């Protein structure tokens, strides 16, 4: 049986490079030879044991590659095509999908409700930090990469671009809105870009790292606030003359940023939460106006599927947005453990890492 290299979760604190069999595929699957992938903040939650997956799982959910082999029932694609696949791989037939919530595909069953059912790669099946990956329901999930675009140009589409944009979309950012975005990691930076594309008149961003605040300016931020130097709630309320913001996007996943996002909302404003939380959240009475402030709190899991991927790549192809500055480091798959060490400790100004087998 032919083997491949893969980044494998062993136990909390250990993701290692190992050898595994090249995946078999079923009639509706595709085998993709990975040409580029990356490490996500969610992978760090897995590494730390904050999000449970089975030992021996290949991690990673942001694939760019070439079709190596197609299942017998897959139509509309051919071997050798360059493709991407979203981090979320809906099948299209579940109750969640038929209700329009593709990210939760497979979540609702007679045995109970399980959130994030649509996130399979690197969660419930082997992922793409490997030389090959099996893509389920290929016809619903593969999207051909337009020939002029490079792997790095579309590397952000499978997850962080889709997730960040959805923070602005689900927050219903309107033309002329004032938007605050807490944390300017990869997803927060994409939320900043998404708010700009949605027509926000003023975008205020918060982070503790000057290098990320500088990148945020290029993504569309009008006001940058260093939370190490300034109380962000006070600064945002001052910048809005006490009115507050129309939409606050939380992109880190901590109690402090969630609470701050709630405190800067105008009456009737929306808190759009993108963070992955590793402990219980508390909603403070005053910030929530005792439940009487007409606030809206909405959460989002990365939208997936081939049509979402096509739309995101269309934005890139039309030169409406360039996310290649987010790739700050490059490693081979053989160096994946070194890449995890760098990314998990957020050293050397890292934002995103390009991994090539």
């Amino acid at each position: 049986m032919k083997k491949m290299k893969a980044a494998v979760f062993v136990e909390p604190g250990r993701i290692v490079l190992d050898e595994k069999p090249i995946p078999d595929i079923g009639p509706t699957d595709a085998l993709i030879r990975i040409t580029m992938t990356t490490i996500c903040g969610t992978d760090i939650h897995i590494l730390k044991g904050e999000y449970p997956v089975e030992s021996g799982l290949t991690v990673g959910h942001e694939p760019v590659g070439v079709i190596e082999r197609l299942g017998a029932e897959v139509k509309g694609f051919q071997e050798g095509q360059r493709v991407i696949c979203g981090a979320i791989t809906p099948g299209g037939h579940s109750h969640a999908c038929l209700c329009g919530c593709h990210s939760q595909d497979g979540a609702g069953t007679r045995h109970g409700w399980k959130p994030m059912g649509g996130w399979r790669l690197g969660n419930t099946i082997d992922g793409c930090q490997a030389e090959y990956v099996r893509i389920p329901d290929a016809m619903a999930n593969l999207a051909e990469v337009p020939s002029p675009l490079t792997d790095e140009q579309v590397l952000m589409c499978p997850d962080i671009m889709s997730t960040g944009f959805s923070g602005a979309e689900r927050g219903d950012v309107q033309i002329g809105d004032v938007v605050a975005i807490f944390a300017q990691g990869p997803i927060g930076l994409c939320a900043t870009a998404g708010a700009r594309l949605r027509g926000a008149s003023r975008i205020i961003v918060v982070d503790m790292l000057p290098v990320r605040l500088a990148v945020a300016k290029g993504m569309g931020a009008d006001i940058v606030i260093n939370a190490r130097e300034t109380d962000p709630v006070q600064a945002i309320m001052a910048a809005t003359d006490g009115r507050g913001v129309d939409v606050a996007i939380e992109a880190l996943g901590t109690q402090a940023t969630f609470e701050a996002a709630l405190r800067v909302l105008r009456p009737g404003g929306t808190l759009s939460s993108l963070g992955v939380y590793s402990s219980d959240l508390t909603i403070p009475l005053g910030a929530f106006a005792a439940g009487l402030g007409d606030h809206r709190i909405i959460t989002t899991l990365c939208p997936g599927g081939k049509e979402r991927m096509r739309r995101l790549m269309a934005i890139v192809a039309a030169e409406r947005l360039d996310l290649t500055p987010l790739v700050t480091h490059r490693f081979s798959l053989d160096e994946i453990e070194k890449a995890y060490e760098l990314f998990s400790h957020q050293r050397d100004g890292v934002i995103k890492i390009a991994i090539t087998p």
Side-chain angles (χ1 to χ4, degrees):
M1 182 176 290
K2 291 185 177 180
K3 297 289 188 75
M4 67 175 186
K5 296 175 183 177
V8 175
F9 173 79
V10 179
E11 61 187 1
R14 288 187 66 204
I15 289 176
V16 302
L17 186 69
D18 204 350
E19 279 198 343
K20 298 182 74 169
I22 293 175
D24 289 328
I25 61 169
T28 61
D29 301 334
L31 182 68
I32 303 303
R33 176 173 56 83
I34 298 296
T35 55
M36 187 170 287
T37 186
T38 184
I39 299 173
C40 179
T42 308
D43 298 325
I44 303 304
H45 285 287
I46 291 172
L47 173 65
K48 292 179 178 179
E50 296 170 346
Y51 185 88
V53 300
E54 291 186 5
S55 179
L57 183 83
T58 301
V59 289
H61 51 263
E62 298 162 279
V64 183
V66 174
I67 297 174
E68 184 80 5
R69 193 162 71 248
L70 290 170
E73 296 179 12
V74 178
K75 309 298 180 185
F77 294 94
Q78 58 187 13
E79 294 175 1
Q81 276 183 311
R82 293 177 63 226
V83 291
I84 65 171
C85 172
I88 304 300
T89 53
H93 304 291
S94 67
H95 293 300
C97 280
L98 295 174
C99 289
C101 197
H102 300 90
S103 297
Q104 306 299 331
D105 179 33
T109 72
R110 63 180 178 176
H111 303 294
W113 188 83
K114 179 182 182 297
M116 297 183 290
W119 173 30
R120 291 186 274 182
L121 296 177
N123 180 19
T124 57
I125 66 174
D126 279 339
C128 63
Q129 288 172 17
E131 293 180 289
Y132 296 90
V133 65
R134 176 181 73 87
I135 301 299
D137 300 302
M139 291 172 64
N141 290 297
L142 293 182
E144 185 177 6
V145 178
S147 57
L149 299 183
T150 67
D151 285 1
E152 281 196 14
Q153 284 179 291
V154 300
L155 180 60
M156 306 303 156
C157 295
D159 185 358
I160 69 160
M161 185 181 180
S162 186
T163 302
F165 276 26
S166 71
E169 291 166 321
R170 294 268 287 164
D172 197 24
V173 174
Q174 301 287 307
I175 291 173
D177 273 355
V178 178
V179 179
I181 302 168
F182 288 82
Q184 289 295 283
I187 286 176
L189 288 166
C190 288
T192 298
R196 182 188 64 177
L197 289 171
R198 293 275 298 186
S201 63
R202 195 158 35 142
I203 300 172
I204 307 168
V205 303
V206 180
D207 204 278
M208 293 184 176
L209 300 178
V211 64
R212 294 192 171 189
L213 292 172
V215 175
K217 280 282 193 179
M219 293 292 120
D222 300 293
I223 299 172
V224 299
I225 297 171
N226 188 325
R228 291 189 191 277
E229 302 172 352
T230 307
D231 182 309
V233 174
Q234 291 182 6
I236 290 169
M237 296 308 289
T240 58
D241 296 324
R243 175 183 180 274
V245 301
D246 300 287
V247 181
I249 300 175
E250 197 288 316
L252 185 59
T254 68
Q255 173 68 36
T257 47
F258 180 89
E259 183 172 332
L262 189 58
R263 290 187 182 279
V264 300
L265 289 179
R266 65 162 172 80
T270 298
L271 193 166
S272 180
S273 171
L274 295 174
V276 178
Y277 302 95
S278 54
S279 60
D280 289 344
L281 286 172
T282 300
I283 298 179
L285 182 71
F288 196 47
L292 303 175
D294 287 324
H295 297 124
R296 188 170 66 130
I297 298 175
I298 192 160
T299 63
T300 305
L301 177 61
C302 171
K306 69 179 182 182
E307 174 60 12
R308 177 68 169 184
M309 296 300 105
R310 183 197 68 78
R311 286 174 176 268
L312 296 178
M313 288 191 290
I315 291 289
V316 176
E319 300 183 352
R320 298 291 299 279
L321 181 63
D322 178 15
L323 293 176
T324 56
L326 274 59
V327 178
T328 54
H329 294 73
R330 295 163 181 82
F331 289 90
S332 70
L333 183 62
D334 289 337
E335 302 171 297
I336 191 72
E337 294 174 45
K338 181 179 177 182
Y340 264 98
E341 195 278 332
L342 172 69
F343 192 72
S344 64
H345 291 90
Q346 291 293 292
R347 291 190 290 102
D348 300 338
V350 65
I351 297 179
K352 287 291 277 186
I353 297 173
I355 306 291
T356 51

